Amino acid sequence: MNTITSFLIPLLLLAASTAAWGQHEHEHQHEHQHEHKQTHAATDATAVTGENISFTDRLTATPEIEAALANGGNAVVADVLGVVCDFCAVAMNKVFGKQEEVAAVYVDLDTKALNLVFMPGATLTDEAIASLAVQAGYRIAAVHRSDAVVTH
Amino acid sequence: MLLMLLTSAAVVGRPISYVGGWTFIEESNRQSTTALLHYTPSPSWSLGVRNEWFRDDDYAITSLQPTYLLKRWFGQDYQANVYLQGGLGLASGTSGNPLGSTGAGYAGVIADWETRRFFLGYNARYVEAGHFGDGAMQLVRMGWAPYEGDTRDLHTWLMVEVDHRPESKDPVSVTPLLRFFQGPILLELGFNIVEPTPLINFTYRF
């Protein structure tokens, strides 16, 4: 029993401290992401119609996404089914990151969305995106395009 | 000598990765220590090389292990999977065990259901290892995440694993454990409270 106690007590303490730290880091990161979103939405809102704001609200603007957008790439946000963990995000990042058309990729677990920015002048069709998602082990529910919204 | 078998390999991390992906898994539980390297050539199956050392029984099974995704369910907030897994290889004595080597094989089923907050997994397997013996096991694992980690966050899970190994001195045992998960790395630390033994699992996906 002493052996069990000597293992379980540190395990529980480790659980409590890690959960608290993880929660703190999670909230901290979300504050940063929120700042990025705010900046991005404000920039686009001054340039295009109100409809485009709904697209940018979907987009999670990491520094890589911002840089690729600044470079002139079009963005896609795809709603993904089944992304519940970081392995899911890693898989999607690996599969889409290998495509020469893709300049930046980010899977947001909170919004359950795949965020893509293409190289300038490049794109992937909805079918290609769906097929690549299957290779990663997931399924696309819907694809939203920034350029499509801008033409409305 | 009957085998007291098996590990919870598939319940730890998904046994099939993305197409072109490799996964390294190390596991150590109350009965064995396992190393597994698998490659995923298709969304529906993977192929791995596995070495499992049964510490108390002084033998190890080295096998080629295919895993087939029988069915996957997707939802906006969940994913569920049923896999079939098997393996063929060689069982060999270790630490001077005079029993030599013989052919070995195993087959099993793995099922899981997971959201960002809850996890439920089941694994059953039967092993035939010639003169080393045969045996079966099943286990259930339940998990809860105290917070929903976003991408690249540290994900923390509190889990409990209940395993049933009919040939074991303690047929049913319980292992509370912690799962830490960040990016391509997963680490699990636990302790079996029936047969006092640490559980240490590690997965790296690349």
Side-chain angles (χ1 to χ4, degrees):
Chain A
M1 194 62 192
N2 282 344
T3 312
I4 294 171
T5 307
S6 66
F7 273 90
L8 285 183
I9 289 175
L11 210 58
L12 289 171
L13 290 172
L14 188 61
S17 57
T18 309
W21 183 76
Q23 178 70 54
H24 172 75
E25 286 296 299
H26 177 67
E27 288 168 357
H28 186 65
Q29 184 169 332
H30 276 226
E31 285 168 13
H32 280 291
Q33 284 183 356
H34 188 61
E35 286 167 13
H36 283 301
K37 269 188 179 179
Q38 291 282 339
T39 305
H40 187 203
T43 304
D44 274 13
T46 59
V48 293
T49 69
E51 285 178 278
N52 206 33
I53 293 174
S54 64
F55 177 82
T56 46
D57 279 347
R58 294 177 189 275
L59 191 68
T60 302
T62 65
E64 293 81 11
I65 294 279
E66 294 271 17
L69 286 170
N71 201 33
N74 284 322
V76 159
V77 177
D79 301 329
V80 189
L81 299 179
V83 282
V84 292
C85 68
D86 245 14
F87 274 179
C88 314
V90 169
M92 300 283 274
N93 286 337
K94 289 276 189 183
V95 169
F96 282 91
K98 287 179 185 172
Q99 307 306 309
E100 61 183 20
E101 295 89 347
V102 174
V105 55
Y106 182 76
V107 175
D108 190 328
L109 293 178
D110 279 347
T111 60
K112 306 171 189 69
L114 164 69
N115 298 266
L116 292 173
V117 181
F118 300 113
M119 301 295 284
T123 192
L124 288 171
T125 64
D126 290 5
E127 291 75 19
I129 292 170
S131 173
L132 289 166
V134 169
Q135 286 189 34
Y138 303 93
R139 184 179 297 166
I140 298 295
V143 177
H144 312 275
R145 290 180 181 270
S146 61
D147 48 348
V149 175
V150 171
T151 58
H152 285 171
Chain B
M1 176 170 50
L2 289 174
L3 295 181
M4 291 183 293
L5 288 174
L6 307 180
T7 67
S8 54
V11 175
V12 172
R14 294 202 179 90
I16 295 176
S17 182
Y18 56 90
V19 172
W22 292 83
T23 304
F24 172 76
I25 297 173
E26 173 282 328
E27 293 179 325
S28 190
N29 62 20
R30 68 166 167 151
Q31 292 188 327
S32 64
T33 300
T34 301
L36 166 67
L37 178 69
H38 74 66
Y39 176 74
T40 300
S42 148
S44 58
W45 64 281
S46 70
L47 187 63
V49 177
R50 176 190 182 102
N51 181 270
E52 184 169 4
W53 172 35
F54 297 89
R55 297 182 305 269
D56 291 341
D57 296 324
D58 289 334
Y59 75 94
I61 296 176
T62 303
S63 59
L64 208 55
Q65 176 180 286
T67 302
Y68 176 69
L69 174 63
L70 189 64
K71 177 72 177 171
R72 174 169 286 162
W73 293 267
F74 295 100
Q76 195 171 22
D77 300 311
Y78 74 92
Q79 181 182 144
N81 305 279
V82 177
Y83 303 93
L84 300 178
Q85 192 168 69
L88 282 176
L90 197 65
S92 306
T94 60
S95 307
N97 187 333
L99 288 178
S101 298
T102 187
Y106 51 88
V109 61
I110 304 138
D112 63 54
W113 171 87
E114 185 178 2
T115 71
R116 293 175 68 195
R117 281 279 190 175
F118 301 101
F119 177 91
L120 187 61
Y122 175 78
N123 186 12
R125 193 162 74 147
Y126 175 78
V127 173
E128 172 59 56
H131 56 252
F132 287 102
D134 57 36
M137 65 78 70
Q138 60 181 339
L139 68 84
V140 173
R141 183 186 281 206
M142 291 158 285
W144 173 72
Y147 62 93
E148 290 187 357
D150 198 4
T151 313
R152 299 172 187 164
D153 284 351
L154 174 67
H155 300 238
T156 306
W157 288 78
L158 309 178
M159 295 184 146
V160 62
E161 183 175 292
V162 180
D163 67 316
H164 175 224
R165 302 166 199 261
E167 290 85 10
S168 178
K169 179 171 64 70
D170 299 304
V172 176
S173 79
V174 179
T175 306
L177 62 120
L178 294 174
R179 169 183 282 189
F180 305 109
F181 202 165
Q182 188 164 32
I185 296 172
L186 181 150
L187 174 67
E188 294 180 339
L189 301 172
F191 193 77
N192 191 307
I193 56 177
V194 175
E195 189 175 322
T197 320
L199 175 147
I200 304 169
N201 296 333
F202 172 80
T203 298
Y204 180 65
R205 190 164 272 192
F206 56 102

